[in-house]
């Protein structure tokens, strides 16, 4: 399956303003790109590239005063299969966890494990463990939070989402991550593209999505408490401890977002490429979790 994906954002700045953008397809999917994931601006500005502490690709630039249009548009090869499910995956004892996953056990800006741990143990401490426990967390969060774009907030934490019972996809992810970490399951925040492929209409406006990964049986597995079903065509952009680590745009000054559009669409079948995606899952990274 081929995906056509990209975005367009237009900002207005009262003065020259530095920015850091984390919007390119993650390096784990770079081999799946069928054309360069090139970031362009109008007017054209110089950009430099670096990797952040989590390995995400970041673009650094200085926006001129006035309007700045930022756009990316590419195509990507995907196996077209739903998110993998591994119901027998088990938890690892805390002392056996590798050092590089330990940061994803700690509390973070939006995931207050110290405040939510008693609730997590009350809700999930005596039930199944491993995959079943993380699935139970996702089911609870999916039922507990009502999705509402009108109540989106850049300051809402996992505890706020639990108390308010409303939010957007990042709030679902934050609450589930906080519960997992409280139960000694490493969990990390993910953001990227996720269209409506394989779901019934009506479809809402395109947007970037948030989900999370939990460490079970020695590897990371994808979970999505917002949708709570395996989805097709998930394309990672960035990972971190929570949304604070992976803002799409980190802007060092005042700005107004005047336009925002995201697209993730399935392209018509290509028998050769689609067959290759099925027999070469190492390249079609969307099939791996």
């Amino acid at each position: 399956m081929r995906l056509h994906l990209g975005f367009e954002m237009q900002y207005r700045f009262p003065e020259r303003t530095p920015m850091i953008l984390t919007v390119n397809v993650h390096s784990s999917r770079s081999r799946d790109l069928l054309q360069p994931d090139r970031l362009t601006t109008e007017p054209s500005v110089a950009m430099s590239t670096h990797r952040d502490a989590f390995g995400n690709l970041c673009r650094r630039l200085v926006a001129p005063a006035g309007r700045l249009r930022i756009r990316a548009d590419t195509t990507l090869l995907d196996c077209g299969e739903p998110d993998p499910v591994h119901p027998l995956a088990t938890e690892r004892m805390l002392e056996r966890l590798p050092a590089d996953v330990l940061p994803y056990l700690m509390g973070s800006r939006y995931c207050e494990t110290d405040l939510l741990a008693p609730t997590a143990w009350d809700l999930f401490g005596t039930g199944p463990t491993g995959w079943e426990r993380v699935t139970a967390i996702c089911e609870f969060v999916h039922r507990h939070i009502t999705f509402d774009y009108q109540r989106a907030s850049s300051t809402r934490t996992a505890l706020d989402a639990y108390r308010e019972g409303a939010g957007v996809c990042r709030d679902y992810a934050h609450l589930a991550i906080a519960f997992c970490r409280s139960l000694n399951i490493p969990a990390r925040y993910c953001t990227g593209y996720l269209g409506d492929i394989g779901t019934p209409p009506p479809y809402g406006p395109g947007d970037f999505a948030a989900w999370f990964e939990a460490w079970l049986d020695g590897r990371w597995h994808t979970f999505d408490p917002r949708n709570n079903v395996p989805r097709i065509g998930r394309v990672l952009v960035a990972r971190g401890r929570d949304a604070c680590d992976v803002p799409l745009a980190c802007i060092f000054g005042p700005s107004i977002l005047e336009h925002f559009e995201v697209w993730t669409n399935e392209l018509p079948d290509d028998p050769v490429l689609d067959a290759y995606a099925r027999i070469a899952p190492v390249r079609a990274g969307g099939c791996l979790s």
Side-chain angles (χ1 to χ4, degrees), residues 94 99 101-109 111-114 177-178 181-182 185-187 241-242:
L94 190 62
V101 308
L102 295 181
Y104 302 104
L105 283 174
M106 310 300 178
S108 55
R109 165 68 178 84
C111 301
E112 313 101 316
T113 53
D114 55 335
I177 288 169
R181 292 178 185 171
S182 296
I185 300 172
R241 292 166 299 183
D242 59 30

Side-chain angles (χ1 to χ4, degrees), residues 86 88-92 214-221:
H86 300 281
L88 300 181
T90 59
E91 298 173 27
R92 288 282 182 93
W215 180 268
L216 299 170
D217 261 353
R219 57 183 292 199
W220 293 104
H221 299 267

